[in-house]
Amino acid sequence: MSVDPARLSFNQITADHLDLDQVIEACAEAGIGRLAPWRHKLVPDAGERIRAAGLRASSLCRGGFFPAPSAAERRERDADNRTAVDQAAAVGTDLLVLVCGPAPDGDLATARAQVLEGIETLAPYAVEHGVRLGIEPLHPMMIGERSVVVTLAQALELAERFDPVEVGVVVDAYHVWWDPELERQLERAAGRILAYHVSDWLVPTPDLLAGRGMMGDGVIDLPRLRGLVEAAGYDGPIEVEVINTANAELPAAELMARVSRSFVESS
Amino acid sequence: MSVDPARLSFNQITADHLDLDQVIEACAEAGIGRLAPWRHKLVPDAGERIRAAGLRASSLCRGGFFPAPSAAERRERDADNRTAVDQAAAVGTDLLVLVCGPAPDGDLATARAQVLEGIETLAPYAVEHGVRLGIEPLHPMMIGERSVVVTLAQALELAERFDPVEVGVVVDAYHVWWDPELERQLERAAGRILAYHVSDWLVPTPDLLAGRGMMGDGVIDLPRLRGLVEAAGYDGPIEVEVINTANAELPAAELMARVSRSFVESS
């Protein structure tokens, strides 16, 4: 079944070369009604600017980064995550996306324990401020530099320790499509999916971090994956998050047109 | 516990810039007694040459590549795999390593079914020739170009359909270290581990296919992983498989010295 174009939300990292105002303008001109801003692009009145253009924020990217060698550093991470919760509320979204890692020294077990501890510490503050925490499993190739949570099963094991209105999971097609457990884990995720992201897996993949393709340019069966996500009860915004440095080579209007077209034709 | 240096086997792809005679000579001079040859480097009397230098082959890399769009092409793959079985026997090893993929068109379910079918077709021939089949799960970042079998759990689900003396798994630290299920799946693998490979995960990883590090240069806790593999009953050769184009910049003797030292100090 074809996707409702109104579900498209533009994840800002897709145009990391633009500032917030430029992205807001490009979305508004392209008729894209939702935006997922990134923290490094925020300005103090980001929420007002987004709303003034008639847009809505679907999430804020990103908090997390819980593991650190010392308790003092972990307290700093927690303080930063509280700021992220405040920022999420200020831009008008109830969802903060969490990147859960990396391990400072390759000790995965310790880092994974610190992730749980970090979420436990942060969750009450987030609840108080009306913000839900979305654990996003990242592709296993990002374990060294980004995330020690690398499977949907692992994200769910963490999320299931909390009330689903407080902590859930973010499903990104690029990060999970390879998983032989995908169908089973998406069934298990019913009621806990807080966001769904799309992009495509290019063959060959030119870069570990910034080598994603537009929907339809790679090999992920995105319509099938969306069907599984919808069968698990998720019918909210779908963020297009195509991290690729080549996007900077396109004029903003053309990039937005490509995103909209790929979304409708191939998501 | 420190590793027995006699367990070191040199996987030939670590020195893909050398031909078979050069690798045999470099191993013999470095006092490395085992070698895992690759098929694209074989010569008709490879087995004789390996034995004449006092070496033994620990495995042959590699068969597999079962999925293909048409039945005719799948029969060609099977014929090629029978040749690989013959070659394994001829070089004096009882182990053929299988790379199980990729999916010709991104259809993972079909490709995975063809992998099982391919192993079922090949296994009786391998048994007849005294060669065991080792299913090697590859890192999920290799799903587009190499393997649809990307977790140890998945490899075991396949292997468990066969007698353990016919089909088992190949555990490569680089491919499996990220897996939150690793401990549980290595326990499950007891009696089915046919080979163990080491290298290291560099941070950052410079390349998806040829960016591996020498043991100790990355973040994998290799001694712990070896402990888990040994606890599962595996005490055979340990292949050093460091796929990195930079290895070609070292003189052969220096490369072998680095391999031996990294193996003893950090595996």
Side-chain angles (χ1 to χ4, degrees), chain B residues 211-252:
Chain B
R212 301 192 197 184
M214 286 283 168
M215 298 71 73
D217 289 352
V219 296
I220 306 178
D221 187 346
L222 289 167
R224 179 175 170 275
L225 185 38
R226 178 167 57 83
L228 295 171
V229 169
E230 289 170 354
Y234 183 76
D235 60 2
I238 300 175
E239 291 184 15
V240 174
E241 186 181 49
V242 181
I243 305 179
N244 193 316
T245 44
N247 291 345
E249 294 159 20
L250 295 177

Side-chain angles (χ1 to χ4, degrees), chain B residues 25-39:
Chain B
E25 191 189 333
C27 282
E29 285 183 3
I32 295 172
R34 300 177 197 248
L35 172 67
W38 276 55
R39 292 182 68 201

Side-chain angles (χ1 to χ4, degrees), chain B:
Chain B
M1 218 178 79
S2 67
V3 64
D4 177 358
R7 293 178 72 188
L8 168 57
S9 177
F10 187 81
N11 186 295
Q12 186 172 14
I13 198 75
T14 305
D16 196 33
H17 58 296
L18 303 180
D19 67 24
L20 182 65
D21 282 335
Q22 290 169 321
V23 168
I24 289 172
E25 191 189 333
C27 282
E29 285 183 3
I32 295 172
R34 300 177 197 248
L35 172 67
W38 276 55
R39 292 182 68 201
H40 69 291
K41 298 283 187 176
L42 289 182
V43 293
D45 59 344
E48 288 72 17
R49 295 189 197 196
I50 290 169
R51 286 185 287 276
L55 301 180
R56 287 155 65 195
S58 56
S59 73
L60 179 67
C61 298
R62 54 201 190 166
F65 300 98
F66 303 103
S70 70
E73 285 164 285
R74 292 196 294 279
R75 277 193 299 275
E76 278 171 34
R77 306 287 173 97
D78 181 59
D80 183 61
N81 279 320
R82 284 165 197 253
T83 303
V85 165
D86 297 343
Q87 290 169 327
V91 299
T93 177
D94 66 350
L95 175 59
L96 176 65
V97 176
L98 299 181
V99 171
C100 299
D105 51 3
D107 178 351
L108 301 179
T110 299
R112 285 166 176 161
Q114 290 178 355
V115 166
L116 173 58
E117 203 179 283
I119 298 173
E120 283 171 342
T121 307
L122 183 62
Y125 185 84
V127 170
E128 236 171 71
H129 292 76
V131 171
R132 297 174 300 167
L133 301 176
I135 301 168
E136 182 173 9
L138 300 196
H139 193 285
M141 72 186 174
M142 295 178 185
I143 196 167
E145 288 151 277
R146 295 282 182 286
S147 178
V148 293
V149 175
V150 289
T151 65
L152 188 49
Q154 207 187 351
L156 286 166
E157 267 157 46
L158 287 166
E160 285 165 0
R161 294 165 177 261
F162 301 88
D163 188 310
V165 303
E166 298 177 12
V167 178
V169 299
V170 173
V171 177
D172 183 313
Y174 193 80
H175 291 308
V176 303
W177 75 285
W178 56 272
D179 190 346
E181 291 264 316
L182 187 58
E183 292 187 34
R184 197 174 351 173
Q185 297 302 330
L186 280 173
E187 272 179 37
R188 172 181 170 189
R192 290 196 179 266
I193 299 175
L194 303 184
Y196 177 49
H197 295 180
V198 291
S199 67
D200 213 338
W201 184 273
L202 299 175
V203 177
T205 290
D207 187 271
L208 270 87
L209 297 175
R212 301 192 197 184
M214 286 283 168
M215 298 71 73
D217 289 352
V219 296
I220 306 178
D221 187 346
L222 289 167
R224 179 175 170 275
L225 185 38
R226 178 167 57 83
L228 295 171
V229 169
E230 289 170 354
Y234 183 76
D235 60 2
I238 300 175
E239 291 184 15
V240 174
E241 186 181 49
V242 181
I243 305 179
N244 193 316
T245 44
N247 291 345
E249 294 159 20
L250 295 177
E254 199 176 313
L255 176 60
M256 293 298 169
R258 279 213 62 195
V259 162
S260 293
R261 197 171 57 240
S262 298
F263 182 77
V264 171
E265 290 175 1
S266 307
S267 288

